[in-house]
Amino acid sequence: MNWYLDVIKKYAVFTGRARRQEYWMFFVFNLGISLVLSIIDAAVLGTNVLGLVYALAVFLPSLGVAVRRLHDTGRSGWWILIALIPLIGVIVLIVFLATEGNQAGDKYGPNPKFAPTA
């Protein structure tokens, strides 16, 4: 849960680097919350309003953590736009997001794996 809250705290931070664990734990929590909201919404309201509101609320944090994750692999955040290419772009982006980060510091900052947690 801390990984999810840390990403939310960095609401619109697009600088720095994010570990694989930070990105994927946020992704899993985000997916779980979306599924629960969809089930509740379908059962109670019969619409998808809750899911839409939640998706809008976490859009910037999701984008920010993805950009920081790309920075950890040494890529510019603009690589996120590769997902606009049908099918192939999404697959390439998933590979980029799942790739291990650079061990040394780079122009985006020090390795977050070795950064002190406060």
Side-chain angles (χ1 to χ4, degrees), residues 40 64 78 93 100 103:
I40 291 171
W78 289 105
L93 183 60
E100 185 176 359
Q103 295 300 318

Side-chain angles (χ1 to χ4, degrees), residues 37-52:
L37 286 176
S38 294
I39 291 169
I40 291 171
D41 204 17
V44 175
L45 301 174
T47 64
N48 197 19
V49 174
L50 292 177
L52 181 62

Side-chain angles (χ1 to χ4, degrees), residues 1-106:
M1 188 67 166
N2 287 336
W3 295 108
Y4 181 81
L5 294 175
D6 287 344
V7 171
I8 297 298
K9 287 177 188 174
K10 298 177 185 176
Y11 192 80
V13 176
F14 296 96
T15 58
R17 295 169 61 172
R19 295 177 59 185
R20 276 188 295 187
Q21 186 175 13
E22 179 181 359
Y23 177 80
W24 290 109
M25 291 303 287
F26 177 77
F27 179 84
V28 168
F29 274 99
N30 201 18
L31 183 63
I33 292 169
S34 295
L35 288 173
V36 168
L37 286 176
S38 294
I39 291 169
I40 291 171
D41 204 17
V44 175
L45 301 174
T47 64
N48 197 19
V49 174
L50 292 177
L52 181 62
V53 169
Y54 177 73
L56 287 173
V58 296
F59 177 71
L60 282 178
S62 299
L63 191 60
V65 75
V67 167
R68 291 193 311 271
R69 178 72 205 124
L70 287 169
H71 286 176
D72 192 41
T73 62
R75 293 177 177 83
S76 167
W78 289 105
W79 274 102
I80 203 163
L81 296 177
I82 199 167
L84 296 175
I85 300 171
L87 189 61
I88 301 297
V90 173
I91 293 169
V92 169
L93 183 60
I94 290 171
V95 169
F96 286 170
L97 294 172
T99 303
E100 185 176 359
N102 295 338
Q103 295 300 318
D106 58 14

